[in-house]
Amino acid sequence: MTLPYDPDDDQAADRYINAALRSRDAEAWRLLATETHVEQTDRVLRAMLDRIAVARTHRTAERAAARVRAREGDISQAEYERDAAEDANRATKAAHFETLVREHHRLIAAAARRLRGDDVRDELTDLVVALGSAVDAHRTAVLASGAEPTPADEALWERLATLDAPDAVDGRVTVAELVRRRAAKQDDLGRVLAAIVLDAAGEAASVPRAALLTPWKKAIAPTLAAAEKTEFAAKGKGSLATEKLRKTMGHLERKGLVKRAGTADDQRLDLLDRPGLEELAGRR
């Protein structure tokens, strides 16, 4: 048995997937995850999630406009409440459908990533960037010390400048550019976390990690694109915000500003360099 449409007919795929979502037909989803169609299924489900997000934004704007009309007397309070109740009912159904789409997309996206080799590529890119960051840190330390670079040092630094790696945006870029981008992004998030750590700690020398999570999620939520969250969720690694917190704490540790302590269930962050945290947070 095969799917009744071609891998480039997304309109037909959209109709078929909508029916499969409602019927929860296991055989249909097995076919949708086959190598010939899984990337198309992934693409169509992502488009569904995008439409859901757009509809939610539109609905929120409509409710805000309705509140203004009710306040100004353009519609009666009874009309407003009736429309609000109908909208709440539609929103509940939309939320249920979105949950259904996301549940299936996690499985499909994981299969699509395996087929494309995305996980292997990402792991290798992370490894290359980590090595590049170490070379860059070595160069900074040597030059800052005033020591004369050895020929081996200069050859290593030259290799960093010419080596390239795959990049989702530009196709391929130099490892040095990837290191620069990663460092800039980490510094941006580091500034956010430094401020949160200082506020949560007050005058204390240590702060529970649990006290950082809520303000962290609130602070970075506007920076997380829906596509990025969907992509991360498809990897089955939990919350993107929590993962960024973990990596950013590591970034502050490497700067010598904080140190993680305690167990995984009761982790704390010790403040090692309060002036450095204040400088990073822009408070001095």
Side-chain angles (χ1 to χ4, degrees), residues 7-78:
D8 60 354
D9 188 350
D10 285 6
Q11 287 187 335
D14 187 89
R15 291 192 295 270
Y16 187 91
I17 290 169
N18 262 291
L21 284 165
R22 289 172 170 81
S23 68
R24 304 199 182 207
D25 183 344
E27 176 61 14
W29 285 102
R30 185 190 69 78
L31 293 171
L32 287 164
T34 55
E35 288 190 2
T36 55
H37 284 78
V38 68
E39 290 190 86
Q40 179 191 42
T41 305
D42 179 42
R43 184 169 65 246
V44 171
L45 287 170
R46 287 175 186 274
M48 285 183 178
L49 291 171
D50 288 343
R51 291 197 299 270
I52 290 169
V54 169
R56 182 187 299 112
T57 300
H58 181 66
R59 190 167 57 247
T60 300
E62 284 187 332
R63 296 318 310 156
R67 282 193 296 273
V68 172
R69 292 198 302 272
R71 188 167 59 245
E72 295 178 349
D74 293 337
I75 60 174
S76 68
Q77 187 63 28

Side-chain angles (χ1 to χ4, degrees), residues 62-110:
E62 284 187 332
R63 296 318 310 156
R67 282 193 296 273
V68 172
R69 292 198 302 272
R71 188 167 59 245
E72 295 178 349
D74 293 337
I75 60 174
S76 68
Q77 187 63 28
E79 288 176 308
Y80 171 75
E81 291 177 358
R82 183 188 66 242
D83 290 346
E86 292 175 356
D87 183 68
N89 185 51
R90 288 193 297 270
T92 299
K93 292 180 180 178
H96 175 72
F97 183 67
E98 180 179 7
T99 299
L100 199 59
V101 174
R102 289 192 182 280
E103 285 176 357
H104 286 82
H105 181 248
R106 275 194 291 272
L107 301 175
I108 291 296

Side-chain angles (χ1 to χ4, degrees), residues 46 49-50 53 102 223-232 240:
R46 287 175 186 274
L49 291 171
D50 288 343
R102 289 192 182 280
T223 71
L224 301 180
E228 185 182 12
K229 290 189 287 187
T230 299
E231 182 77 19
F232 187 81
L240 177 59

